[in-house]
Amino acid sequence: MSRFLLALALVLAQIFAFGNAGWTQGFSGLARIDPEASRVSDAGRAGVSVELALSQGVPYRLFTLAEPPRLVLDFQEVDWTGLSAETLVQTDKVREAAFGTYVPGWSRLVLALAEPLAVAQADLRLDEVTGAARLSLRLDPVSAEAFAATAGAPRDSRWDLPDPAVIDTLPERAPDAPLRVMIDPGHGGIDPGAEAGPVTEKALMLVFARELRDVLLRSGGFEVLLTRDDDRFVSLEQRVALAHRAQVDVFISLHADSLSEGLAHGATVYLLAEEASDVASAKLAERHDRAELLSGLDLSSTDDQVTDILLDLARAETAPRAEALARSLVDGMTQQGGPINRRPLRHAAFSVLKAADIPSVLVELGFLSSPRDLRNLQDAEWREGMALGIRNGLRNWREADLARKALVRQ
């Protein structure tokens, strides 16, 4: 059945891609979702019905992923404006939904399934008069073994999603070369991060990342790269890979999350730890990695015993440098007026910090769940002050780090 459905999607893709006079006439721009006519609901015999109403037909593909079970739908391309996960999902057989841009030109919808469900039927119907389309799926319960046997992303040259842009490996640099900094705006594309009404973490962090880059470049003594410079999804693994390819000196991941528990507010700097230093840190790390799964990708954990030993040796040298970097950034932001969290230096198992040979930190500039932080994050003057604080922290750390290296050489 899965091969049939994949073949169906590929045939539809070819029809739309190369044109059909009866179907493609008048198609222009993105297909728009009709939120009121789209739903994921219970169907007969404990199954699930997926109904997506679109303003026009577009090529699509679908597949399932295991651990945890997910249904992934890729489109070329859909405007999701007006749709919310809460109104779309009307069954407890689907835990949650995520949708948005995957990479430029591609949109993705991911349904996290509460139990193994296989695609039993897929049908795309087009209105010959209006060009509107309705994609209908029926999912039926299957055993975990049967689900796992057919799960996996298909590989086909006509459908493979383009890889995020890579940075060519750069030549070795002199010891006194400018500090090369990789700035990582959190989330992006299908993964909006935290939300406060129309404000999204992914958009705020992209704005701040660009502003921080400009501050560093104007100040001199820095080379700056971004893991993303637009609204695209970049996997956690790819973010770290980009830092390695660019041979950066420092990796800074930028976030502004939301915590319903307590009254979290103020900037916080995180370092990597196997176990979180507190409950809030553990929940934030879980949210970040969970977003990766919802975007349709699994985190890699294939280190063998020898690799683990080599990584531990690298971390033994890098960890003290990363902690000094974190403290210097806290000091820099504090001197610019903050506000800083009452416990500004914390530890958590953020996957994006796992580059063993690069001092890496995750900066939570504030929390969207805090009205004061939300106002600050939308204030260009406040953001400039925080960018200057981070710049000062990087400068001070660089000076101290070079001095320590000189002492080691002696």
Side-chain angles (χ1 to χ4, degrees), residues 129 141 156 158 161 175 207 215 225 233 237 239 248 250 256 272 290 323 325 362 366 407:
V129 177
D156 187 287
R158 293 165 292 182
L161 298 176
V207 169
V215 166
L225 305 107
F233 172 81
E237 186 180 60
R239 294 171 195 259
V248 301
V250 170
L272 178 67
R290 179 64 181 169
E323 181 160 355
L325 171 63
L362 186 147
L407 289 175

Side-chain angles (χ1 to χ4, degrees), residues 17 20 52 90-91 95 100 104 146 154 174 181-182 206 214 223 239 250 276 306 312 322 351 358 368 381 385 403:
N20 176 289
L52 298 177
Q90 302 175 14
T91 171
R95 297 186 188 277
V181 181
M182 177 71 82
L206 181 57
D214 293 344
E223 294 178 13
R239 294 171 195 259
V250 170
V306 174
D312 287 342
S351 293
I358 301 172
L368 299 190
E381 186 176 348

Side-chain angles (χ1 to χ4, degrees), residues 331-353:
D331 289 343
M333 289 186 290
T334 300
Q335 291 170 11
Q336 286 294 319
I340 302 297
N341 189 272
R342 62 184 178 84
R343 290 183 54 204
L345 189 60
R346 304 194 184 200
H347 297 76
F350 288 108
S351 293
V352 78
L353 299 182

Side-chain angles (χ1 to χ4, degrees), residues 1-19:
M1 178 61 71
S2 61
R3 289 182 179 177
F4 164 76
L5 292 173
L6 176 57
L8 171 65
L10 291 172
V11 169
L12 288 170
Q14 290 175 325
I15 291 173
F16 284 115
F18 296 108

Side-chain angles (χ1 to χ4, degrees), residues 253-406:
S253 190
L254 300 173
H255 290 264
D257 221 301
S258 178
L259 281 177
S260 57
E261 300 82 4
L263 298 173
H265 57 78
T268 310
V269 180
Y270 282 89
L271 291 160
L272 178 67
E274 290 301 320
E275 295 184 2
S277 55
D278 55 82
V279 175
S281 299
K283 289 186 176 181
L284 287 179
E286 181 181 357
R287 280 166 56 91
H288 286 210
D289 286 1
R290 179 64 181 169
E292 182 87 348
L293 289 177
L294 268 181
S295 297
L297 298 175
D298 293 315
L299 300 178
S300 175
S301 56
T302 57
D303 293 341
D304 57 24
Q305 187 173 5
V306 174
T307 303
D308 283 341
I309 293 173
L310 294 175
L311 290 175
D312 287 342
L313 290 172
R315 289 192 181 104
E317 178 182 352
T318 305
R321 298 178 64 215
E323 181 160 355
L325 171 63
R327 294 186 183 280
S328 186
L329 292 178
V330 169
D331 289 343
M333 289 186 290
T334 300
Q335 291 170 11
Q336 286 294 319
I340 302 297
N341 189 272
R342 62 184 178 84
R343 290 183 54 204
L345 189 60
R346 304 194 184 200
H347 297 76
F350 288 108
S351 293
V352 78
L353 299 182
K354 292 184 177 179
D357 54 343
I358 301 172
S360 304
V361 295
L362 186 147
V363 178
E364 289 278 0
L365 285 170
F367 294 86
L368 299 190
S369 47
S370 163
R372 181 190 67 181
D373 287 2
L374 180 57
R375 287 193 301 271
N376 285 339
L377 288 163
Q378 297 178 87
D379 184 337
E381 186 176 348
W382 180 87
R383 294 196 306 268
E384 182 181 9
M386 293 299 275
L388 291 172
I390 292 175
R391 180 205 63 184
N392 295 342
L394 285 169
R395 278 180 170 173
N396 294 336
W397 174 81
R398 172 70 159 174
E399 183 178 343
D401 192 60
L402 290 174
R404 280 191 295 269
K405 286 184 178 179

